[in-house]
């Protein structure tokens, strides 16, 4: 189901972690840039062609939620662009703020002074020092669920079923959890979660999921009234 014409050692979870790391490294230059570009070789980029829109959306959500949680200021809604760059070593990527200023069409009769004032506004200035992060190839990801009790359940295999029934891989003795509540799926994009038609639904970071949801490290999962945290190391 997840076979593609091109393989790459770059994992989506790696992109998300490095983007968050760049935001933290740039925190002294607030407000942060909202526009970022991820560069990699065309062969690596081709591996994401059929999930590009989904991947970008998840990266934008992760960046936005991280900044809100940390109290970081950013000068515009987040956006991420994927570009090919043959100068970059295969299996690696670079993330940096997009420093190209946006072109704003001025309405008829407007003065150049207003344009100058806008461009001089501190909140509109891009980060002057570009922080560049180069990842090393990722061939394996160690993922786990950390329960509210502190118990750590390492994830392996292709699927992990979660529920109240003893046949599930992760069992919650909770009447608010359905017998077969949700399922974790390990695929080329990383670990995802899907609700199995449970009575009380499955939530990620407080939001009830619909369909399959790609997970990022630190995501808080809720199955009825039982909770767990998804972690990648």
């Amino acid at each position: 189901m997840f076979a593609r014409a091109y393989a790459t050692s770059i994992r989506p979870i790696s992109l998300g972690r490095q983007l968050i790391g760049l935001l933290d490294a740039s925190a002294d230059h607030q407000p942060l840039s909202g526009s970022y570009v991820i560069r990699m070789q065309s062969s690596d980029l081709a591996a994401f062609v059929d999930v590009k829109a989904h991947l970008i959306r998840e990266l934008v959500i992760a960046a936005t939620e991280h900044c809100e949680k940390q109290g970081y200021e950013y000068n515009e809604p987040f956006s991420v662009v994927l570009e090919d760059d043959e100068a970059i070593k295969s299996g690696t990527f670079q993330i940096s703020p997009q420093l190209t200023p946006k072109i704003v069409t001025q309405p008829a009769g407007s003065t150049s002074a207003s344009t100058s004032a806008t461009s001089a506004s501190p909140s509109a200035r891009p980060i002057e020092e570009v922080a560049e992060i180069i990842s090393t190839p990722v061939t394996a990801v160690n993922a786990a669920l950390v329960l509210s009790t502190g118990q750590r359940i390492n994830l392996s295999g292709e699927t992990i079923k979660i529920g109240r029934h003893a046949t599930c891989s992760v069992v919650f003795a909770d009447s608010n959890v359905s017998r077969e509540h949700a399922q974790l799926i390990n695929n080329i994009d990383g670990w995802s979660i899907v609700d199995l038609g449970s009575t009380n639904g499955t939530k990620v970071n407080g939001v009830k999921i619909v369909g399959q949801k790609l997970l990022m490290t630190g995501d808080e999962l809720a199955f009825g009234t039982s909770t767990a945290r998804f972690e990648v190391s």
Side-chain angles (χ1 to χ4, degrees):
M1 179 184 299
F2 298 101
R4 292 183 182 153
Y6 297 91
T8 177
S9 57
I10 299 174
R11 299 292 295 272
I13 190 67
S14 171
L15 299 175
R17 293 174 69 183
Q18 296 295 350
L19 177 58
I20 296 303
L22 177 56
L23 293 173
D24 289 337
S26 305
D28 291 339
H29 300 276
Q30 296 187 54
L32 302 178
S33 171
S35 300
Y36 292 85
V37 57
I38 302 176
R39 298 182 177 89
M40 63 185 75
Q41 274 201 14
S42 57
S43 58
D44 291 315
L45 186 61
F48 300 111
V49 65
D50 58 333
V51 294
K52 183 177 179 180
H54 176 74
L55 174 61
I56 289 175
R57 181 175 65 86
E58 291 298 322
L59 290 172
V60 167
I61 291 174
T64 303
E65 291 182 346
H66 183 72
C67 285
E68 294 295 333
K69 182 177 180 180
Q70 298 298 323
Y72 296 160
E73 296 181 8
Y74 45 98
N75 58 21
E76 59 186 329
F78 279 99
S79 64
V80 175
V81 176
L82 303 182
E83 293 183 355
D84 64 295
D85 188 337
E86 298 308 313
I88 296 175
K89 183 180 177 181
S90 177
T92 67
F93 62 90
Q94 297 176 356
I95 303 181
S96 61
Q98 275 192 309
L99 302 182
T100 304
K102 294 184 176 180
I103 299 175
V104 180
T105 302
Q106 296 295 323
S110 63
T111 64
S112 58
S114 61
T115 303
S116 299
T118 301
S119 61
S121 172
S123 63
R125 292 175 183 168
I127 298 174
E128 294 179 358
E129 297 178 1
V130 180
E132 185 177 84
I133 298 178
I134 303 177
S135 101
T136 55
V138 179
T139 57
V141 174
N142 298 317
L145 286 182
V146 181
L147 307 186
S148 59
T149 60
Q151 179 185 0
R152 185 180 184 88
I153 301 175
N154 293 323
L155 306 179
S156 61
E158 295 183 357
T159 60
I160 301 289
K161 193 166 289 186
I162 300 168
R164 195 176 73 251
H165 198 274
T167 58
C168 293
S169 301
V170 180
V171 179
F172 288 101
D174 180 351
S175 60
N176 292 296
V177 176
S178 297
R179 289 169 61 85
E180 292 187 345
H181 196 105
Q183 184 167 274
L184 292 170
I185 303 171
N186 187 14
N187 54 54
I188 195 169
D189 302 319
W191 283 93
S192 299
I193 190 168
V194 61
D195 186 79
L196 297 177
S198 65
T199 301
N200 294 311
T202 301
K203 295 181 179 180
V204 176
N205 298 323
V207 179
K208 185 176 291 188
I209 64 172
V210 177
Q212 191 167 309
K213 168 74 173 176
L214 183 65
L215 296 176
M216 304 289 287
T217 187
D219 279 347
E220 297 290 340
L221 313 182
F223 314 97
T225 55
S226 294
T227 61
R229 185 174 65 257
F230 176 76
E231 288 188 354
V232 171
S233 59

